[in-house]
Amino acid sequence: MPMRVAIVSPEQEVWSGDADMVVARTVEGDIGILPGHVSMLAVLVGDQTVRVKVGSQEISAGVDGGFLSVTKEGVSILAESATIA
């Protein structure tokens, strides 16, 4: 069962949709989020690529800092700046 993912910058919603996995780098290390992951909040490192896996496809977003929030509703990435790579 996929989870809802949104990547948002102050200017716009960069990408949103259902996904099977999210991989990002936090200040504590790399993290992979799958559906059903425990709720958490993490600080993202600057200048990285967040990978969102949707079936056999992968969406890459260049992200510069911000936060990653996981709730039962899904994953939100609130970035200082973000673009689809």
Side-chain angles (χ1 to χ4, degrees):
M1 173 180 232
M3 62 189 159
R4 191 77 182 151
V5 176
I7 301 173
V8 181
S9 73
E11 295 83 29
Q12 65 182 343
E13 181 177 82
V14 176
W15 184 88
S16 68
D18 291 333
D20 299 310
M21 183 177 189
V22 175
V23 178
R25 178 163 289 157
T26 71
V27 295
E28 295 183 3
D30 290 351
I31 186 165
I33 307 293
L34 296 170
H37 195 282
V38 65
S39 295
M40 65 171 286
L41 181 65
V43 178
L44 297 171
V45 299
D47 195 26
Q48 68 163 302
T49 300
V50 171
R51 298 184 339 249
V52 180
K53 296 186 180 188
V54 181
S56 61
Q57 296 181 344
E58 184 172 285
I59 296 158
S60 297
V63 173
D64 192 19
F67 299 92
L68 178 141
S69 170
V70 181
T71 66
K72 62 181 177 181
E73 286 80 30
V75 177
S76 297
I77 295 174
L78 312 168
E80 293 175 25
S81 67
T83 57
I84 295 296

